[in-house]
């Protein structure tokens, strides 16, 4: 090999070495970033759960919210359950015929 070829090989190998080092550093940074993103997502889920709890507490504390909730629990839900049982029985009867 003559000198020009050695110079080209040396330049290419140093460039490849630098790109390899930069790629490894970038991968390490991306892994750390993904860990931080995971922490942020967990915090966001906790905040959402707390906000949902606060909203349900406020709904129960307001006079109209508590009244509506009681009305739904005592009157509407039992009627809906009865109707769904009747529909199931009708389907069973139709299936037997």
């Amino acid at each position: 090999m003559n000198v020009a070829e050695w110079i080209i090989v040396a330049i290419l190998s140093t460039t490849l070495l630098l790109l390899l080092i930069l790629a490894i550093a970038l991968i390490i940074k991306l892994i750390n970033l993904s860990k931080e993103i995971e922490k942020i997502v967990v915090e966001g889920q906790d905040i959402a759960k707390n906000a949902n709890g606060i909203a349900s507490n406020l709904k129960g504390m307001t006079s109209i919210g508590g009244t509506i909730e009681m009305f739904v629990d005592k009157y509407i839900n039992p009627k809906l359950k009865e109707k769904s049982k009747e529909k199931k029985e009708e389907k069973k009867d139709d299936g037997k015929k």
Side-chain angles (χ1 to χ4, degrees), residues 35-53:
K35 289 178 183 176
E36 290 295 319
I37 290 172
E38 184 178 350
K39 289 178 187 177
I40 290 171
V41 167
V42 169
E43 287 288 326
Q45 289 173 346
D46 289 340
I47 290 170
K49 285 180 186 176
N50 289 338
N52 191 17

Side-chain angles (χ1 to χ4, degrees), residues 17 20-21 24 29-30 38 42 45 68 85 87:
L17 178 67
L20 183 64
I21 291 171
I24 291 172
K29 291 287 185 181
L30 288 175
E38 184 178 350
V42 169
Q45 289 173 346
I68 291 174
K85 285 181 184 177
K87 286 183 181 180

Side-chain angles (χ1 to χ4, degrees), residues 25-85:
L26 179 66
I27 289 171
I28 291 171
K29 291 287 185 181
L30 288 175
I31 290 171
N32 290 336
L33 181 65
S34 69
K35 289 178 183 176
E36 290 295 319
I37 290 172
E38 184 178 350
K39 289 178 187 177
I40 290 171
V41 167
V42 169
E43 287 288 326
Q45 289 173 346
D46 289 340
I47 290 170
K49 285 180 186 176
N50 289 338
N52 191 17
I54 290 170
S56 85
N57 285 342
L58 285 175
K59 183 179 79 172
M61 289 171 56
T62 61
S63 62
I64 212 127
T67 305
I68 291 174
E69 187 175 3
M70 181 192 68
F71 179 74
V72 168
D73 287 339
K74 286 191 176 182
Y75 299 108
I76 295 176
N77 283 339
K79 288 183 181 181
L80 290 175
K81 288 180 183 177
E82 287 175 11
K83 287 189 178 189
S84 67
K85 285 181 184 177

